[in-house]
Amino acid sequence: MPSTPQIRSQHVSRRTVLKAGATLLLAVTVPQRANAAQILAVRVWPADDYTRVTLENDTDLKATHFIVKDPERLVVDIEGLDLNPTLKSLVAKIQSNDPYIKQVRVGQNRPNVVRLVFDLKEEVTPQVFTLPPAGNYKHRLIFDLYPVKEVDPIAAMIEKGDWSADDKVAAGPAAAPTPKEQLEQLKPDTRAEPREELKTELKTAEAQVKPEKPGKMVRMLTIALDPGHGGEDPGASGKNGSREKDIVLSIAKRLKSKLEEQPNIRVMLTRDADYFVPLGTRVDKARKVQADLFVSIHADAFVQPTARGSSVFVLSEKGATSSAARWLADKENAADVIGGVNVKNHDKQLASVLFDLSTTAQINDSMKLGRAVLGEIGGINRLHKGSVEQAGFAVLKAPDIPSILIETAFISNPEEEAKLLDEAYQNKLADAIVTGIRRYFAKNPPLSKNRLT
Ligand SMILES: [Zn+2]
């Protein structure tokens, strides 16, 4: 039949027109579809303090969020996004022991909009914000899920079984020990014979304090240990792939248990897992537990792999003691940019820490502590510089707590990287820091404390 091909041809052409129309319609309603943002990576950082979910993207994303009750859910809609396998991998990244997230569901809610539904284990205060490219990261969209009730560091330590409930009482003003008692606590135990210098220091300190009527309880000395970086912020990295955040956490944990072997010393870690803690929060935590000392642990890095040696830093009131120290402080202070803080909260936090107060007394005490610790570290590793250096490290800005930052060694130096990964070296380093702290306390017994809170 001659008509058949004609009909067929008409039919085909009508279909083609329809198809073209559909494409056109799609193009009108979803104009950005061709440039849909790409999710490059998803990361989850669960911690008791807060759980963070990061979506790293090739462009800045717009997200809206809301909470749905019964059961508790956080719903997030992200515009200009198509579902891809990287984003779908988020589902498998939520661990069953995540403190706040039960599970997450990911779906294309409507063209161009991806919806994430976080099923929650408890009520949370979400912070949703974006970060511009920083460090090795492109654009980031961040969901920080905080517990509604703020975590109290002392309660958290007790809950973990790290501190006893009595410690809380012992930390109170009624528990002030006599100077004599404190000296007794600080004397080296009989297992290790003190060095001659230390004996002399203890004698001098003993002569300086007058005996008072005996108190009933002995005040606990609280030391805040601050393993640098964590979570989104890996810190420096070595040639062989080791990361500063892992090494310093390991050293800090060793140091904690060695310090707690000493009588009447308890330790608070500003972080005890792999998650990011903003610099101001580290200081806040130390102040909340009324720490007697703040010790931040880091591992140095430099472009030249030959740079080596340990160093100790304290805060500076008027500029840095060297350009290298200033450079290092800038680098360490960039932790907040790479780790990622919500700018809205950040300003509030800094304001609470950096109130206008002379920090001269703090710096003087910190120098004494720094010298004592540097002297001991010098016995186990070459020193980068023979003296304590000063610069404007944000993490050392507690106005009322002697604070030091230890650069344990250069992770960028392959030989020192190997040392930093060595268990025996980590132990030796921790022992040296313990001895340095004891020497400091022996010379500067923490008597009555007038706190600024
Ligand atoms: Zn560092």
Side-chain angles (χ1 to χ4, degrees):
M1 300 266 259
S3 62
T4 315
Q6 211 182 343
I7 291 166
R8 198 175 279 154
S9 135
Q10 269 176 350
H11 185 68
V12 167
S13 68
R14 201 182 301 133
R15 266 210 341 229
T16 312
V17 170
L18 271 174
K19 223 169 132 192
T23 311
L24 194 70
L25 190 71
L26 207 70
V28 168
T29 51
V30 194
Q32 309 99 314
R33 198 170 183 86
N35 324 312
Q38 287 301 309
I39 299 282
L40 304 171
V42 296
R43 293 181 288 273
V44 184
W45 307 104
D48 288 337
D49 283 22
Y50 72 105
T51 287
R52 166 173 287 188
V53 174
T54 303
L55 306 184
E56 192 180 344
N57 332 289
D58 59 357
T59 176
D60 196 18
L61 289 179
K62 219 180 242 162
T64 50
H65 69 278
F66 53 94
I67 291 279
V68 183
K69 299 273 170 194
D70 302 317
E72 205 75 19
R73 279 154 292 164
L74 167 68
V75 181
V76 183
D77 285 342
I78 308 168
E79 270 176 53
L81 194 59
D82 281 342
L83 208 47
N84 74 357
T86 311
L87 186 53
K88 279 183 191 162
S89 73
L90 175 62
V91 174
K93 287 195 175 172
I94 304 295
Q95 296 163 17
S96 60
N97 62 353
D98 188 299
Y100 302 105
I101 305 174
K102 205 183 287 169
Q103 59 168 2
V104 64
R105 289 171 281 146
V106 181
Q108 191 83 45
N109 182 252
R110 48 192 189 273
N112 218 27
V113 174
V114 163
R115 173 166 284 188
L116 309 182
V117 179
F118 294 92
D119 294 308
L120 303 168
K121 289 182 178 172
E122 64 175 67
E123 223 182 311
V124 299
T125 308
Q127 290 186 18
V128 179
F129 56 98
T130 56
L131 294 168
N136 293 325
Y137 297 126
K138 298 259 170 68
H139 294 267
R140 284 175 288 173
L141 174 60
I142 307 267
F143 313 114
D144 284 349
L145 309 185
Y146 285 87
V148 169
K149 197 165 171 280
E150 211 182 312
V151 175
D152 167 47
I154 295 182
M157 297 305 284
I158 294 170
E159 199 169 303
K160 278 181 204 157
D162 247 348
W163 291 3
S164 78
D166 295 343
D167 287 355
K168 198 166 188 173
V169 183
T178 67
K180 186 94 181 164
E181 276 172 335
Q182 286 203 337
L183 276 174
E184 286 302 323
Q185 298 164 29
L186 295 166
K187 275 182 184 173
D189 53 40
T190 44
R191 279 173 292 178
E193 187 58 26
R195 300 209 316 247
E196 281 309 312
E197 284 170 80
L198 188 52
K199 278 186 189 164
T200 321
E201 283 170 15
L202 283 165
K203 261 193 196 146
T204 321
E206 215 159 350
Q208 282 168 355
V209 295
K210 289 179 204 151
E212 282 172 16
K213 58 177 179 179
K216 276 186 185 164
M217 287 171 85
V218 170
R219 184 166 83 85
M220 295 294 291
L221 297 173
T222 304
I223 298 174
L225 288 185
D226 175 50
H229 314 280
E232 289 277 287
D233 174 21
S237 53
K239 271 239 159 56
N240 296 310
S242 52
R243 299 176 302 186
E244 181 183 1
K245 66 173 182 178
D246 303 323
I247 288 173
V248 296
L249 181 60
S250 166
I251 293 172
K253 282 182 173 172
R254 282 175 206 279
L255 183 52
K256 178 179 189 288
S257 62
K258 284 173 191 288
L259 279 168
E260 285 176 339
E261 282 168 19
Q262 313 295 314
N264 301 308
I265 286 188
R266 63 181 190 178
V267 171
M268 186 270 304
L269 288 172
T270 55
R271 72 173 176 97
D272 60 1
D274 189 11
Y275 69 102
F276 178 69
V277 182
L279 298 173
T281 307
R282 294 169 193 254
V283 178
D284 273 350
K285 282 186 172 189
R287 298 194 71 224
K288 277 188 183 138
V289 301
Q290 303 201 348
D292 293 282
L293 298 181
F294 181 92
V295 179
S296 192
I297 313 279
H298 289 257
D300 221 334
F302 195 60
V303 275
Q304 260 94 42
T306 45
R308 61 185 295 172
S310 312
S311 26
V312 175
F313 295 84
V314 309
L315 186 63
S316 154
E317 259 183 311
K318 300 168 202 135
T321 45
S322 70
S323 56
R326 185 183 315 117
W327 181 80
L328 185 73
D330 288 346
K331 194 162 64 82
E332 296 296 6
N333 291 346
D336 274 354
V337 180
I338 295 161
V341 290
N342 191 354
V343 181
K344 271 189 231 152
N345 288 354
H346 191 44
D347 293 343
K348 210 169 61 189
Q349 231 168 33
L350 277 186
S352 80
V353 172
L354 306 176
F355 50 95
D356 188 22
L357 238 163
S358 164
T359 45
T360 313
Q362 190 262 48
I363 290 173
N364 285 344
D365 286 340
S366 303
M367 282 301 282
K368 288 178 195 166
L369 171 64
R371 284 191 202 108
V373 171
L374 191 72
E376 293 301 322
I377 294 178
I380 63 141
N381 193 29
R382 177 199 293 236
L383 294 180
H384 187 63
K385 216 177 170 191
S387 57
V388 175
E389 289 213 73
Q390 292 180 266
F393 293 90
V395 83
L396 301 180
K397 288 187 176 174
D400 48 357
I401 307 171
S403 304
I404 60 170
L405 184 144
I406 303 172
E407 295 285 355
T408 48
F410 275 81
I411 196 173
S412 53
N413 177 317
E415 214 176 290
E416 291 205 336
E417 181 188 11
K419 270 188 175 182
L420 285 168
L421 290 166
D422 178 46
E423 218 171 283
Y425 178 78
Q426 288 194 0
N427 279 327
K428 268 199 272 180
L429 187 73
D431 284 332
I433 298 169
V434 171
T435 312
I437 289 174
R438 288 174 65 146
R439 285 166 65 95
Y440 168 80
F441 276 137
K443 262 190 165 176
N444 310 277
L447 304 176
S448 56
K449 276 207 146 191
N450 294 319
R451 295 237 164 241
L452 294 162
T453 50

